[in-house]
Amino acid sequence: MNKRKFAVAVIGAAGLLTGTVCGSVAVADPSGAPAFRQLSGVGSDTTQDVMNGMAQSITIGGQKVIGSYDATGSAKITTKSGTTCTIDRPNGSGAGRNALVASLQAGDNCLDFARSSSLSLGAVDPDLTYVPFAVDGVTYAITGSSQIPRKLTLNDLKQIYTCNPAYVGTAPNFTMTAYLPQAGSGTRSFWESTVGISDTDVKNGVYPCIKDAKGGNPVQEHDGRILDDKSIVPFSIAQYNSQSTQTIADLRGKAVLGTIDGIAPTVLNSSFGVKRDVYNVIPTSKVGTAPWSTVFVGSNSLICQKTDVINTYGFAANANCGDTSKQTP
């Protein structure tokens, strides 16, 4: 889409949500007994709610075993009994992975897995295994009254997020802010890869139309309240749909989802053009050890058996659920 097309684009008002997801608002952080679980995890904002659902429904011997702590909330969390496992709350996939690695290196057993909405197979010590369990689609969000079209191509988005002056400029109709979520976010990393930019260039200010903060506060993933009629932000389709049905807290504000390359976002989005696997990250040394193996590993793992929970939170089932082939070197 060129600059002229932007000027004449008609912004549709019809919603894109085509399905329904029922349920009550998910519970943040572990709830109920036992207070501390065998498998404590932190990280991704995108998958925090579906993992809260897993934590509520998966038991071994009648006991809940997953303790999944949200990306935002109180500044500190306590993941195991005693005071040594009171840590700063990690916000996002990158922060969650870093916290898991720090715990493993310290040998303190405070964390047992991390949630991740992006794949990061860079070398790390100790080795990690990214275990996929669901599929998410990611599109862009704008306001319903935005000057930015509701239908774009992936190439349009690449031009916007590289601040191409043919798309983003100073003329009244084209002044826009291209938001990214906070540093360390898995959605940020995935979107940067999708539109062909590097986080280093973003941090170095190569793309002046991109911002990751508003009013001095970092842009939190999947929070549409930061949008105005001249801004755009990537948004998880699963998160959007779960928020719209009140399955989780509704942070959409005025956000509506955009169509990419003619494919509208849907509830079960495995056929959406821009999609990603979402993961739980576990120590590679624990792949064959219970309860990690029981809960996360293989197509018959307890998580992979919970397709109903995966779908309730807007994600599609993953044909490779439980696969352990994606390991850091």
Side-chain angles (χ1 to χ4, degrees), residues 119-283:
L119 183 63
S120 178
L121 294 181
V124 66
D125 182 23
D127 295 337
L128 300 175
T129 297
Y130 281 68
V131 187
F133 72 98
V135 177
D136 184 25
V138 181
T139 186
Y140 66 95
I142 54 176
T143 64
S145 55
S146 178
Q147 67 178 24
I148 303 169
R150 288 275 290 276
K151 295 181 180 179
L152 293 173
T153 66
L154 182 56
N155 184 62
D156 292 332
L157 291 165
K158 290 179 179 178
Q159 302 312 313
I160 290 170
Y161 273 86
T162 52
C163 306
N164 184 331
Y167 290 72
V168 183
T170 57
N173 285 340
F174 313 114
T175 300
M176 73 171 77
T177 300
Y179 283 118
L180 286 175
Q182 82 282 0
S185 154
T187 299
R188 173 179 172 137
S189 175
F190 175 79
W191 194 252
E192 287 172 339
S193 176
T194 298
V195 299
I197 59 177
S198 74
D199 199 52
T200 298
D201 283 347
V202 171
K203 291 177 178 176
N204 288 338
V206 172
Y207 307 114
C209 70
I210 295 179
K211 298 185 184 303
D212 61 6
K214 184 173 184 178
N217 298 312
V219 173
Q220 188 63 34
E221 293 175 77
H222 321 309
D223 188 340
R225 296 173 298 180
I226 56 100
L227 289 169
D228 56 33
D229 288 349
K230 296 182 178 180
S231 56
I232 182 171
V233 70
F235 213 108
S236 158
I237 297 170
Q239 272 278 332
Y240 187 92
N241 291 339
S242 294
Q243 291 183 29
S244 71
T245 55
Q246 312 300 306
T247 303
I248 60 177
D250 190 353
L251 306 178
R252 293 172 300 154
K254 297 179 179 179
V256 296
L257 298 186
T259 291
I260 299 177
D261 289 336
I263 303 176
T266 59
V267 169
L268 299 178
N269 40 61
S270 58
S271 61
F272 191 69
V274 182
K275 61 185 179 182
R276 58 181 172 178
D277 290 345
V278 292
Y279 305 88
N280 286 305
V281 185
I282 64 175

Side-chain angles (χ1 to χ4, degrees), residues 300-319:
N300 289 321
S301 64
L302 294 178
I303 281 181
C304 294
Q305 292 179 35
K306 293 291 183 181
T307 304
D308 57 336
V309 176
I310 290 170
N311 293 163
T312 293
Y313 288 88
F315 294 88
N318 191 317

Side-chain angles (χ1 to χ4, degrees), residues 36-55:
F36 301 106
R37 313 286 170 79
Q38 294 182 61
L39 298 171
S40 295
V42 294
S44 169
D45 179 304
T46 302
T47 62
Q48 65 181 18
D49 300 295
V50 65
M51 285 305 298
N52 287 339
M54 294 289 184

